Amino acid sequence: MRKIFILIIAGLLTAHASAQNSDNTSAESKWKLGVTVGYTNNTYSMDNSYQSDWQQSRRGGISVGLTGQYNVVDWFGVRMDLQWMQKNYRNSRALQVDEYNYTNDYIQIPLMADFSFGGKKLRGFFDAGVYGGYWLSSRVKGMGTNGLNNVTAEPISQSGMINSKRDNRMVFGYVGGMGLEYRFSPHWSCQLECRYYYDVTSQVKQYQDIKDYRYNGTLVLQAAAAYHF
């Protein structure tokens, strides 16, 4: 996480230096709207103190969304997205055959400052901001041992795993990203961007004496196409 923010800060300094030499003309497009599609790779973090043989590992997913941006000046803009995103993970045991593959769907709205630099057609950019979201649904598939004999493995496929008393459906966090934009016509551009979302709200509520914090950290590689006007 520190490396991501260091890269963002470096990008801000680069963007500021580039802006000193850029020409800000009234003919430049102020607004752009577009669509995004991407691949997500999520890390699920929890304390395994009382379940030492459990292991959490990453799982991939997808994201799609809408994006909009207003450019205040040539090198600085404000960007807001509306995204449907998967934050998936695997929970397995080292000493038994238990393996649970979780698929979690979220709707998120990131609000970011966008800093860009470069030429008229090809530009680099950095995003930094915050986001809020809502946990829409959860599904789990895998194999689990029988609770009575702890040996027999049974297939599991369930939906609606969210418990309103235990789970926190609202999510907030920080987001940072970097990428390239290519303006291939006066009104159209495409982007390739890498982002990292870090939840600061635990996925489960702290309603017990034993604190059980669980967080998602999601790396997203996404492409976008936008119309400038």
Side-chain angles (χ1 to χ4, degrees):
M1 191 64 185
R2 289 182 178 178
K3 293 182 179 179
I4 292 174
F5 281 105
I6 290 173
L7 289 173
I8 291 172
I9 292 172
L12 302 185
L13 295 175
T14 305
H16 178 72
S18 176
Q20 303 303 315
N21 299 320
S22 64
D23 294 324
N24 184 24
T25 65
S26 58
E28 290 294 329
S29 301
K30 291 292 186 180
W31 291 92
K32 64 179 176 182
L33 295 174
V35 294
T36 64
V37 60
Y39 169 80
T40 67
N41 191 273
N42 187 68
T43 300
Y44 189 70
S45 302
M46 62 178 289
D47 186 357
N48 289 336
S49 299
Y50 300 94
Q51 303 177 49
S52 58
D53 62 329
W54 284 95
Q55 300 174 342
Q56 292 74 46
S57 54
R58 300 177 179 180
R59 285 191 68 219
I62 59 176
S63 70
V64 294
L66 302 173
T67 181
Q69 181 169 323
Y70 176 75
N71 292 321
V72 180
V73 292
D74 176 64
W75 58 274
F76 172 74
V78 179
R79 179 171 180 174
M80 178 180 287
D81 293 358
L82 175 62
Q83 296 178 318
W84 168 73
M85 177 183 297
Q86 290 185 328
K87 300 183 180 183
N88 305 332
Y89 67 94
R90 178 177 293 107
N91 202 12
S92 59
R93 300 185 72 173
L95 304 179
Q96 295 179 204
V97 296
D98 294 327
E99 180 177 290
Y100 304 95
N101 297 301
Y102 290 88
T103 301
N104 299 301
D105 299 321
Y106 284 80
I107 189 79
Q108 292 191 165
I109 302 178
L111 177 63
M112 300 166 289
D114 180 272
F115 301 85
S116 64
F117 57 94
K120 294 296 182 181
K121 287 192 173 182
L122 183 62
R123 298 183 67 84
F125 65 89
F126 293 82
D127 293 326
V130 296
Y131 64 91
Y134 185 75
W135 189 7
L136 293 172
S137 63
S138 180
R139 301 176 299 281
V140 59
K141 291 184 178 181
M143 298 293 293
T145 54
N146 188 297
L148 297 177
N149 56 35
N150 218 28
V151 174
T152 305
E154 299 176 349
I156 296 173
S157 180
Q158 298 177 353
S159 60
M161 299 298 295
I162 300 175
N163 185 323
S164 59
K165 292 184 178 180
R166 177 196 63 200
D167 297 319
N168 188 9
R169 303 192 72 167
M170 298 299 297
V171 60
F172 299 95
Y174 301 114
V175 56
M178 63 187 71
L180 292 173
E181 179 181 77
Y182 180 66
R183 189 82 167 263
F184 57 86
S185 79
H187 292 286
W188 287 97
S189 68
C190 58
Q191 287 185 349
L192 184 63
E193 181 181 5
C194 183
R195 284 188 189 174
Y196 186 76
Y197 292 85
Y198 180 75
D199 293 356
V200 297
T201 51
S202 174
Q203 194 182 53
V204 296
K205 300 175 182 177
Q206 305 309 306
Y207 62 94
Q208 297 176 332
D209 292 336
I210 298 174
K211 299 303 180 182
D212 184 18
Y213 296 102
R214 305 184 184 191
Y215 299 97
N216 287 298
T218 312
L219 185 66
V220 181
L221 181 63
Q222 68 178 29
Y227 180 80
H228 299 245
F229 60 96

